[in-house]
Amino acid sequence: MNLALTRVAVVGAAGRMGREVCRAALEDEFFELAGGVVEPEAPELGADLGELCGYDKADVAATADPPDKAEALIEFTAPEATVEHLLYGRPVVIGTTGLSEEQLARVEEAAKSVPVVLAPNMSVGVSLIREVVRELAEKLGADYDVEIVEAHHRHKVDAPSGTALLLARAAAEGRGRDLGEVAVYGREGRAPRSEGEIGIHALRGGAVVGEHRVVFYAESEEVEIAHRALSRRTFAAGALRAASFVAGAGPGLYTMRDVLG
Ligand code: NAD
């Protein structure tokens, strides 16, 4: 990890995650909050970023574009905005989820000329259980039925979560299968389970920051891996770690696995 000071700009600074990343950057001596981008028509345009995130004045204003001095952008917005911001051509950490295949292809294209970390879940814990899920799927084998259940707050727009898809992909990978062939999203009506199916289910409500359960069901035992994010700070801390990595990386598409080494 690069331990020198990293100057970051938060894109989507007025959002739930954006404000949390601003707070985390203001508290961390290894980062300078160099800027924050909000929508051009947003009431927050011109606001002080410290005050915007509930802290003391930081003397850094929210702007419509990131300042030149930012070494890394941290993006938590919406898929359409994220692909538009690729035009900045700057090192970027993308936390936004719900990108379509076409939007992901645009990210891959951009990563040919700038470093991009694409991480649907920035928490260290999720990065590690991803590996555990892959290994369990491989070693337990096809006799175990895999089901994934996730829960998020009522405002989340994409479903299932990017993290549920990441974990489902890990399980499919462990079994040498393509997720597209085995994924079943929710069940309704006559829906018997077919062999090798990976069921994915989304709950939405209240203020849940993010919960994921991966269950391997067999006739005589059940193995369950669970992750609960208790605060958005876990994602913000991971985003800063990724920003420090991306600021010093060459062009390419990276994941949290690369960031964490
Ligand atoms: P939010 O709705 O609170 O915030 C999104 C912000 O982006 C809003 O303030 C909106 O005004 C802003 N925005 C939209 N278009 C913009 C543009 N063109 N320029 C600047 N700002 C723009 O949502 P949130 O809860 O902060 O989540 C944001 C994204 O991050 C979602 O896709 C969510 O799933 C994802 N997320 C990822 C992780 C992770 O670890 N990777 C963790 C939590 C959330």
Side-chain angles (χ1 to χ4, degrees):
M1 187 168 50
N2 172 17
L3 284 182
L5 185 94
T6 306
R7 288 187 296 272
V8 297
V10 178
V11 186
R16 279 175 289 262
M17 271 310 303
R19 287 176 205 237
E20 191 63 40
V21 178
C22 287
R23 283 190 281 267
L26 287 170
E27 282 174 20
D28 194 321
E29 57 178 326
F30 291 110
F31 292 88
E32 179 188 326
L33 182 61
V37 175
V38 297
E39 292 186 72
E41 309 296 320
E44 295 88 358
L45 191 66
D48 181 85
L49 288 179
E51 290 172 344
L52 183 61
C53 69
Y55 280 14
D56 291 342
K57 209 164 186 301
D59 293 322
V60 189
T63 52
D65 291 303
D68 289 343
K69 70 171 180 171
E71 296 161 278
L73 309 183
I74 301 177
E75 167 89 34
F76 283 97
T77 56
E80 320 75 62
T82 296
V83 287
E84 207 171 290
H85 293 151
L86 292 170
L87 298 174
Y88 290 134
R90 312 271 291 273
V92 61
V93 174
I94 298 178
T96 309
T97 61
L99 274 70
S100 66
E101 290 297 324
E102 194 196 327
Q103 288 165 331
L104 286 171
R106 289 181 61 185
V107 173
E108 280 168 23
E109 189 56 35
K112 289 178 183 162
S113 45
V114 286
V116 178
V117 172
L118 181 66
N121 194 305
M122 305 270 178
S123 101
V124 174
V126 164
S127 291
L128 296 177
I129 68 166
R130 185 204 175 280
E131 302 308 316
V132 175
V133 167
R134 197 196 53 71
E135 191 176 348
L136 280 171
E138 180 186 344
K139 298 207 167 130
L140 293 174
D143 284 349
Y144 288 69
D145 299 325
V146 184
E147 295 283 311
I148 297 175
V149 186
E150 57 102 335
H152 280 88
H153 55 90
R154 61 163 69 103
H155 303 289
K156 183 164 178 66
V157 288
D158 54 317
S161 68
T163 307
L165 291 172
L166 174 141
L167 295 172
R169 222 169 274 123
E173 198 180 297
R175 287 190 168 171
R177 303 290 301 270
D178 179 25
L179 182 64
E181 289 166 12
V182 291
V184 171
Y185 299 96
R187 295 191 183 84
E188 192 183 21
R190 234 181 104 74
R193 198 174 209 292
S194 58
E195 209 192 319
E197 194 166 295
I198 295 179
I200 306 168
H201 313 274
L203 317 184
R204 292 289 174 268
V208 183
V209 176
E211 293 181 6
H212 293 85
R213 288 171 55 219
V214 182
V215 194
F216 295 82
Y217 292 99
E219 295 286 343
S220 56
E221 70 169 351
E222 293 169 13
V223 182
E224 179 170 337
I225 304 289
H227 181 270
R228 271 177 213 92
L230 303 180
S231 147
R232 288 187 175 83
R233 182 54 66 100
T234 185
F235 308 129
L240 289 181
R241 210 161 153 171
S244 166
F245 169 90
V246 88
L253 187 58
Y254 303 95
T255 67
M256 282 307 278
R257 267 192 286 181
D258 302 303
V259 172
L260 301 174

